[in-house]
Amino acid sequence: MKLPLFIVDAFTAKPFHGNPAAVCLLENKLDEDMHQKIAREMTLSETAFIRKLRPTDNFTQSSCFGLRWFTPASEVPLCGHATLASAAVLFHKIKNVNNTLTFVTLSGELKARKEEDGIVLDLPLYPAHPQDFHEVKDLIKTAIGDTLVQDICYSPDTRNLLVRLSDTYDRSFLENLKVNTQNLLQVENTGKVKGLILTLQGEGEAGGQAQAFDFYSRYFSPWYGVAEDPVTGSAHTVLSSYWSQQLGKKDMHALQCSCRRGELKISLRPDGRVDIKGDTTVVLEGTLTA
């Protein structure tokens, strides 16, 4: 078995920044267990599998494909950066002739649109509801110790816990915060929480010298085998909803400030979904032999 394989850095224009995802093109049906074996072999936060929906489809001319995402540990219902990476492979390496692609996924149909300055993902927008602190205090204490918390919300659709840090902190604090993910599986094993979002309100430009961001974030998902995900499109389906309400804005610029960092341009749509735009860089192209 030989499969075309790409590694793409998503939400960045620079190699070795953003979030890397492996992308496999499936000409034929793949044995179910092979998806997980390949993802485990890749050892990246996500491996995406693009498949044809009909025998007559081809990767250059067709506009609709199946798409699945796997971490090294399990399949996940939604992954933004691996969707961005998949669209980049089809648009830029396979030279797909369409300007918009549709992916059939566990989260419904997702669209990717090619623009001059990036690729726009059409993603669901998930609300986050106020969460009682006492129900999650052990999880938060384990993860960030005595760090001051300003707000806590929960997204039942994504099972993400959103923890907003105190406005007294700045970007540098979030970047350098040591987060303990090793014991989170023992503290939270009910299945309610599958991801931890830490977020902080953005800062204004300092004399025009620095680029302004509306909010910052980091994302942790040891429940899916990912200690920290460098740049997470799916987390921004929750962050976009939360910060739009907090800031009263529909268009926002976000920075996920992991060590690899990535930028996301966000636009909430009238239909209750969200457009998330990002850059991509293909860093590896080859063939997987198994």
Side-chain angles (χ1 to χ4, degrees):
M1 179 185 67
K2 293 186 177 182
L3 300 176
L5 173 71
F6 303 83
I7 294 179
V8 183
D9 290 341
F11 295 114
T12 182
K14 299 179 181 179
F16 317 123
H17 292 70
N19 200 354
V23 178
C24 288
L25 300 180
L26 303 182
E27 290 281 353
N28 302 296
K29 186 175 181 181
L30 191 66
D31 290 344
E32 190 64 25
D33 65 337
M34 189 60 67
H35 295 83
Q36 193 63 67
K37 289 179 180 178
I38 293 172
R40 193 176 299 119
E41 184 76 10
M42 293 299 99
T43 65
L44 297 173
S45 61
E46 304 286 349
T47 297
F49 296 88
I50 308 173
R51 69 185 186 279
K52 299 175 182 179
L53 297 178
R54 295 179 298 271
T56 55
D57 287 346
N58 68 77
F59 290 118
T60 303
Q61 301 289 331
S62 301
S63 63
C64 187
F65 302 95
L67 182 62
R68 297 172 71 181
W69 313 278
F70 287 77
T71 75
S74 64
E75 186 172 12
V76 295
L78 177 63
C79 181
H81 89 274
T83 304
L84 191 71
S86 298
V89 167
L90 292 172
F91 283 140
H92 302 316
K93 303 304 293 186
I94 307 301
K95 306 299 182 183
N96 189 285
V97 299
N98 299 283
N99 287 323
T100 299
L101 299 173
T102 300
F103 295 111
V104 179
T105 79
L106 290 177
S107 291
E109 290 191 354
L110 307 179
K111 295 185 183 299
R113 184 173 73 251
K114 180 171 58 176
E115 295 190 352
E116 289 185 5
D117 58 343
I119 296 173
V120 180
L121 300 181
D122 164 15
L123 298 176
L125 186 66
Y126 293 123
H129 308 291
Q131 168 67 49
D132 180 69
F133 171 74
H134 296 287
E135 292 181 5
V136 293
K137 65 179 181 179
D138 291 340
L139 188 158
I140 295 173
K141 177 76 171 179
T142 299
I144 59 175
D146 295 325
T147 302
L148 298 178
V149 171
Q150 183 142 335
D151 197 12
I152 307 170
C153 291
Y154 176 71
S155 165
D157 298 289
T158 64
R159 291 192 281 181
N160 280 323
L161 183 69
L162 184 154
V163 178
R164 176 181 174 180
L165 304 185
S166 169
D167 289 346
T168 60
Y169 298 130
D170 60 9
R171 166 180 163 181
S172 177
F173 179 87
L174 180 57
E175 288 176 333
N176 294 298
L177 181 62
K178 304 299 183 185
V179 179
N180 175 16
T181 61
Q182 292 183 345
N183 299 322
L184 291 183
L185 295 180
Q186 288 73 42
V187 175
E188 166 48 51
N189 56 15
T190 67
K192 176 179 178 178
V193 176
K194 290 292 188 179
L196 173 64
I197 302 171
L198 301 182
T199 189
L200 188 66
Q201 184 167 337
E203 302 158 295
E205 297 179 77
Q209 298 301 309
Q211 189 170 18
F213 294 97
D214 293 289
F215 62 88
Y216 308 118
S217 69
R218 290 174 65 187
Y219 184 72
F220 308 87
S221 188
W223 299 273
Y224 281 122
V226 180
E228 179 170 9
D229 198 35
V231 194
T232 317
S234 61
H236 284 78
T237 63
V238 180
L239 284 160
S240 299
S241 175
Y242 176 82
W243 282 112
S244 176
Q245 292 181 348
Q246 295 294 310
L247 301 175
K249 300 177 72 172
K250 299 294 185 184
D251 298 315
M252 294 172 288
H253 192 192
L255 176 71
Q256 189 158 333
C257 50
S258 65
C259 62
R260 290 179 62 106
R261 299 183 185 176
E263 298 184 25
L264 306 91
K265 295 180 180 178
I266 296 163
S267 295
L268 273 69
R269 295 167 26 162
D271 63 359
R273 295 176 67 83
V274 61
D275 282 345
I276 297 180
K277 180 189 287 188
D279 291 317
T280 56
T281 302
V282 179
V283 296
L284 185 147
E285 180 177 355
T287 303
L288 176 71
T289 303

